[in-house]
Amino acid sequence: MTSPRTVRTARPADVAALVDLVESAYRGERSRAGWTTEADLLAGQRTDADMVAEAVSGPDGTVLVVEEGPEIVACCHLERRDDHVYFGMFAVAPGSQGGGLGRDLLAEAERYAREQWHGGEMRMTVITQRADLIAWYERRGYVRTGELSPFPYGDERFGVPLRPDLAFETLRKKLG
């Protein structure tokens, strides 16, 4: 029997578990158990404790977590910006992927942005080589903008690129 899932905002005590969750969803061999892996594009870390702590305690954002029993199985970061809410640090534990948890958390993040912050638009950036992930967001109403930004080559806090052509594309969705 599966434990009930609950959604709450992250606390400073969650930082280590959140770093582990994000790393497990995107980097290294553990990430290959799910479909969100970036292990063929990037080595090294996806995030670190300082970046996650900043997201958890920053004045303009919040981190939503999904717990299944005592375990955090999904998370996302929302940040209020001038004319939109930025969505990032989205991770679902590899063993929990493919069952609708990510879809449900994305919908909850959109609801939170709309109802708590009166956000009219959600934006995110996705690595352009992640066609499967971009298609997943498009099925949920996100639109590709064609706005590209460079990958931060040389800043290993975001990973070690395994190819020279990485870039991010902004996706957006009107809320409400």
Side-chain angles (χ1 to χ4, degrees):
M1 186 162 116
T2 305
S3 299
R5 290 183 175 150
T6 57
V7 179
R8 64 172 174 81
T9 55
R11 303 181 282 262
D14 297 323
V15 169
L18 290 170
V19 171
D20 186 63
L21 171 65
V22 172
E23 293 299 312
S24 75
Y26 291 99
R27 301 290 161 78
E29 287 306 309
R30 291 187 303 164
S31 71
R32 293 185 189 281
W35 71 274
T36 60
T37 185
E38 296 171 345
D40 294 327
L41 300 173
L42 294 151
Q45 71 179 31
R46 172 78 189 263
T47 193
D48 62 30
D50 290 340
M51 288 188 279
V52 173
E54 184 177 321
V56 167
S57 62
D60 293 321
T62 193
V63 175
L64 300 178
V65 299
V66 178
E67 288 181 313
E68 199 168 84
E71 184 179 357
I72 296 175
V73 294
C75 69
C76 67
H77 176 227
L78 298 173
E79 183 180 329
R80 288 179 284 204
R81 297 200 176 163
D82 292 339
D83 61 348
H84 66 279
V85 175
Y86 184 81
F87 176 82
M89 201 175 78
F90 186 34
V92 176
S96 297
Q97 293 177 16
L101 176 56
R103 178 193 63 232
D104 293 347
L105 180 55
L106 179 60
E108 176 61 17
E110 292 169 357
R111 185 203 64 75
Y112 187 98
R114 187 176 54 252
E115 293 179 9
Q116 299 297 315
W117 295 341
H118 308 291
E121 184 175 270
M122 186 95 83
R123 293 184 196 169
M124 67 182 74
T125 57
V126 180
I127 294 174
T128 58
Q129 287 77 7
R130 294 296 316 277
D132 55 344
L133 187 57
I134 291 170
W136 187 86
Y137 284 120
E138 287 178 315
R139 289 191 299 275
R140 277 136 197 93
Y142 286 81
V143 177
R144 298 179 79 163
T145 64
E147 298 169 27
L148 300 179
S149 55
F151 185 85
Y153 284 90
D155 188 345
E156 292 189 7
R157 292 179 308 151
F158 300 101
V160 178
L162 300 177
R163 49 190 291 174
D165 61 341
L166 299 178
F168 293 103
E169 182 172 358
T170 299
L171 279 65
R172 65 181 354 143
K173 179 180 180 178
K174 296 289 184 192
L175 302 176

